[in-house]
Amino acid sequence: MSLVTLLLAALAATATPSADVYVMRHLNTPPGQRDPDLLPEGRRTAEALARQFQGSPPVAIFVTDYRRTRQTVAPLAARLGLTPMVYDPRDVAGLVERVRAVGGPVLIVGHSNTVGGLIAALGGASPGELGESEFGDIWHIAADGTTTRLRIGD
């Protein structure tokens, strides 16, 4: 095994959280707007998201400082009695550190151009950059780095 491979493996091991992490893109919004509200379809899916985590709900929710990410988790946060915490999408290392400090299941809501990098930084298998019309998927990253793509409502 090369030194580079060993260093990358060590980095991934230190990035892997000790509890389940769920990463998703915000829900349906109109294209081309900087900070839009969710579309009616997005609001309906947000209600379904509130029922998604019956067995092992998140103990913390992280969102970017945009209406669409806050609206995506609002029904779930209300059901769980949680206040979503804002993170800076440019500070991935800081977010990973905050997630690791939680010590329980965490949900992170990002954007089409950030979800893949977040998953990789958390030790999971990145799906790459998402298309502008891709909404409703959640990536579950287990403590061992196993990454599973889920669909809201499944």
Side-chain angles (χ1 to χ4, degrees):
M1 201 180 283
S2 74
L3 180 58
V4 171
T5 304
L6 287 172
L7 288 173
L8 288 174
L11 180 61
T14 60
T16 303
S18 59
D20 292 338
V21 177
Y22 299 89
V23 179
M24 65 179 289
R25 180 186 184 197
H26 63 80
L27 295 170
N28 308 64
T29 55
Q33 296 181 27
R34 173 150 168 66
D35 193 13
D37 289 313
L38 293 181
L39 291 169
E41 181 181 352
R43 289 193 297 272
R44 284 190 300 275
T45 308
E47 291 295 333
L49 177 65
R51 298 182 297 275
Q52 186 78 26
F53 299 97
Q54 297 300 322
S56 181
V59 298
I61 300 172
F62 292 90
V63 296
T64 58
D65 196 16
Y66 290 93
R67 287 193 305 246
R68 60 191 176 269
T69 58
R70 291 189 303 269
Q71 290 171 2
T72 292
V73 299
L76 176 64
R79 181 177 78 79
L80 299 175
L82 297 174
T83 300
M85 295 175 276
V86 174
Y87 72 92
D88 181 344
R90 296 167 297 189
D91 183 14
V92 174
L95 176 60
V96 169
E97 187 176 313
R98 291 172 70 190
V99 166
R100 290 180 58 132
V102 170
V106 171
L107 173 63
I108 303 169
V109 181
H111 303 270
S112 61
N113 63 340
T114 65
V115 165
L118 289 171
I119 293 168
L122 290 160
S126 171
E129 192 167 316
L130 305 179
E132 283 301 312
S133 63
E134 291 184 63
F135 301 102
D137 292 320
I138 303 172
W139 285 266
H140 169 230
I141 305 141
D144 67 359
T146 301
T147 307
T148 307
R149 187 178 195 164
L150 309 168
R151 188 86 181 143
I152 295 173
D154 289 347

